[in-house]
Amino acid sequence: MTDKTYDPVTFDIIQNALEAIADEMFYAQVKTSMSAIIYEVLDLSTSILNPQGEIAASGAGIPAFIGVLDKAIMGILKKFPLDEIREGDVFASNDPYYGGVTHLNDMVLAQPVFHEGKMVAWVANIAHWNDVGGNVPGSMSSEATEIFQEGVRIPAVKLFMEGQQNDAVFDILKINSRLPDYLHGDLWAGIAGLRIGERRVLELVEKYGEDTFEAAVSDYMDLGERRARAAIKQLPHGTYAFSEEQDSGVVHNLELTITEDEFIVDLTNNPSQSGSLNCSREGTEIAVQLAFKDFTDPDAPGNGGFFKPLKVVTKPGTIYHVEAPGALGYYSEVEIRLFDMILRAMAKHFPGVVPAGNFASICGTNVGGPHPETGRHYTIVEPQVGGWGAWEGSDGVSGQFSGFHGETFNCPAEVAEARYGLGVDQVALNTEPGGEGQWRGGKGIETHYRVRADNNFLSVGYTRNRIAPWGASGGLDGSVNYVEVLRRDGGKERFSFATNLQVNEGDVIRVVTGNGGGYGDPAKRSRDAIESDLRNGYLTPERAKEIYGYEA
């Protein structure tokens, strides 16, 4: 900033306008996308960033995606010096080793915004594409051992060069997808969102002046940093260790150090990278950023300034810092395990700050194959909702996405049946026991997808499939996530991870997500609450007697 004096009200108007622009970009992309994973589930995010690639404002969508976009821009800037970036350029990147951060299904689109020949901002978005090639439909394989098996890699390249479309990149993308028409539509929806963002940012710059615009962005960054540092000063300083066993039996470890002006998360002591359950160094940073913000100041601006006091330490070659050519198809399950582990560490060392454990998995469910009526290939990508943990004074919330996945929705049964080749026989709350307490955990779901054609496939990736969400302050643990395939001949198979499993007409895919952990001694639950649970089918009379000592 210069020595010029600025009106703080004008700053506030510009800062709020940037948030509104990011939201407009978001909904422009939603309304023009081809795939239900985008226009129904809202598996996308948008941001406006300063020329250095720091987030200035973000739109709705998945919190973990917002954290991708600054790192993606920095990947672009690492590959392209500023003097090689021109007005009218549009970049695409999905490769975690070139700033793509997540996995190959998630495509980042980014565009510099120029005003009178000077870059004043970036606009960017990220969205999940149903199929980007690879060795299985849906491009997500729990059996992958290297990234080359997971789809087409786009390493921060120019889709447009000074406004001219690079047809070669468009052709490469489409020819590598089993769903080229959907990919094409989703790509142009992302471009439309960028163009809306560019237009609105320029209107803002022209209205208030370039220097005032830049000063407002800088001021917003400063506000974020001040809020974070003020929150850290209020925390007990020290070093706090935590370890947690995972479903596979391995142990994940973290060491948290809080000082006067830093929040340091050390993850060096963790398992080596393996299979497709890895995440990038940048993805690890995002999981830590989410937990850091939740814990310190949830209401502060989530911009680049807020995370300046945060330091993340990783070891290359581990699951939290994968090295090429490691696979990352199920990166999200690694990141959500870390996010969940940090929250659990906070629950141990700072009791009463966070709720009991939740189902804590994306529960990614991919089903596809020949459509029963048209024979055309389809793929449905469906993250699942589950139960959240209880906290003092309140039962947990039922049927919600994980905190990592954020402001998203499940695909309505009517849309799934109309657009895809599946029947949806049931979407109900999970009636399994678990999560009882003075305040009980929220309920997961039980959903039945009926397969309507032969030679369909199922790929899933669920964690918290053996170790249930933790109870707190005497509350009981919740229940686990899993999938059952109920075969038309009466057979039954249970999975937590599966890749390209054949399912046929008449088979039912039974999805069960966990109930959250309970909070407080079950003996203290009120009689009215127990009777309400019995009336609503959340609790059986037998379980009420066993856990609560209740008899009618």
Side-chain angles (χ1 to χ4, degrees), residues 298-366:
D299 297 324
N303 57 32
F306 187 86
F307 299 108
K308 289 188 184 297
L310 177 63
K311 181 179 180 182
V312 181
V313 184
T314 58
K315 180 181 178 181
T318 62
I319 59 168
Y320 293 125
H321 190 153
V322 65
E323 291 187 300
L328 295 96
Y330 282 99
Y331 84 95
S332 57
E333 292 303 317
V334 182
E335 290 184 19
I336 201 169
R337 294 269 54 78
L338 173 57
F339 175 67
D340 194 46
M341 184 169 67
I342 295 172
L343 293 182
R344 190 172 184 183
M346 303 303 185
K348 176 182 179 182
H349 294 297
F350 305 94
V353 175
V354 297
N358 66 85
F359 78 111
S361 175
I362 302 301
C363 294
T365 310
N366 289 14

Side-chain angles (χ1 to χ4, degrees), residues 179-245:
L179 299 164
D181 293 344
Y182 284 85
L183 183 149
H184 185 76
D186 294 340
L187 171 57
W188 276 104
I191 294 168
L194 296 181
R195 290 178 173 172
I196 285 286
E198 178 193 32
R199 185 188 313 161
R200 297 291 186 252
V201 169
L202 287 176
E203 289 172 356
L204 204 59
V205 173
E206 288 162 4
K207 181 174 182 178
Y208 293 101
E210 187 178 299
D211 60 338
T212 303
F213 173 84
E214 291 176 343
V217 171
S218 179
D219 176 77
Y220 207 32
M221 298 287 191
D222 291 344
L223 172 62
E225 183 175 356
R226 288 196 306 272
R227 291 281 293 263
R229 295 196 185 280
I232 290 173
K233 288 183 185 298
Q234 302 302 313
L235 298 175
H237 300 160
T239 297
Y240 308 91
F242 188 77
S243 299
E244 183 183 60
E245 183 183 358

Side-chain angles (χ1 to χ4, degrees), residues 123-203:
V123 290
N125 58 52
I126 178 172
H128 183 107
W129 290 358
N130 283 350
D131 191 288
V132 290
N135 65 351
V136 298
S139 310
M140 293 175 61
S141 169
S142 59
E143 298 172 357
T145 57
E146 55 184 11
I147 196 169
F148 303 109
Q149 300 163 349
E150 297 185 310
V152 61
R153 300 174 66 184
I154 304 299
V157 302
K158 291 187 179 184
L159 276 176
F160 288 82
M161 294 177 287
E162 299 184 63
Q164 296 300 309
Q165 181 175 323
N166 186 346
D167 291 332
V169 178
F170 281 75
D171 289 346
I172 289 167
L173 283 168
K174 290 179 66 176
I175 200 66
N176 275 279
S177 176
R178 298 170 181 86
L179 299 164
D181 293 344
Y182 284 85
L183 183 149
H184 185 76
D186 294 340
L187 171 57
W188 276 104
I191 294 168
L194 296 181
R195 290 178 173 172
I196 285 286
E198 178 193 32
R199 185 188 313 161
R200 297 291 186 252
V201 169
L202 287 176
E203 289 172 356

